[in-house]
Amino acid sequence: MDEIKQIGQNIRKFRTKKGFSQLDLAVACDFEESSIGRLENGNTNPTIKTLLKISKALEIKLTDLVRVK
C-alpha cells in the first residue's frame, strides 16, 4: 500500500476514534474541511507541519499517525 494512503487511513482511524467529524478536525487544525478529506483519501502529500497539527488536535503521537505497515 502506498505510504501516503496509509497515513490518510491512520488520520481517519484516529479521527473517528476521537469522535471527530472531518469538520471538527479541520476547525481544530485551522484547515479547510476538504483538506481533511483529501488527506484521508491519500490524494495529497501532507507536510510535517500539517501532520504535527493533526497529531496535536487528535492528542496522539506523530509516530502513531505516520506508522505504515
Side-chain angles (χ1 to χ4, degrees):
M1 175 180 281
D2 179 70
E3 290 84 2
I4 301 303
K5 289 195 182 293
Q6 179 66 57
I7 291 170
Q9 287 181 353
N10 292 345
I11 293 169
R12 180 177 284 123
K13 176 181 77 173
F14 287 112
R15 175 183 60 77
T16 57
K17 195 181 270 191
K18 184 84 170 170
F20 281 14
S21 67
Q22 287 185 346
L23 179 58
D24 294 332
L25 182 56
V27 168
C29 295
D30 196 29
F31 297 155
E32 295 290 325
E33 182 178 4
S34 60
S35 297
I36 301 299
R38 285 193 302 275
L39 287 166
E40 289 184 352
N41 291 324
N43 295 331
T44 187
N45 190 356
T47 65
I48 293 295
K49 186 174 181 178
T50 294
L51 293 172
L52 284 168
K53 282 185 175 184
I54 292 170
S55 66
K56 187 173 184 176
L58 294 174
E59 299 176 328
I60 60 170
K61 295 178 183 176
L62 179 61
T63 54
D64 292 336
L65 193 61
V66 298
R67 184 164 292 135
V68 294
K69 298 175 186 173

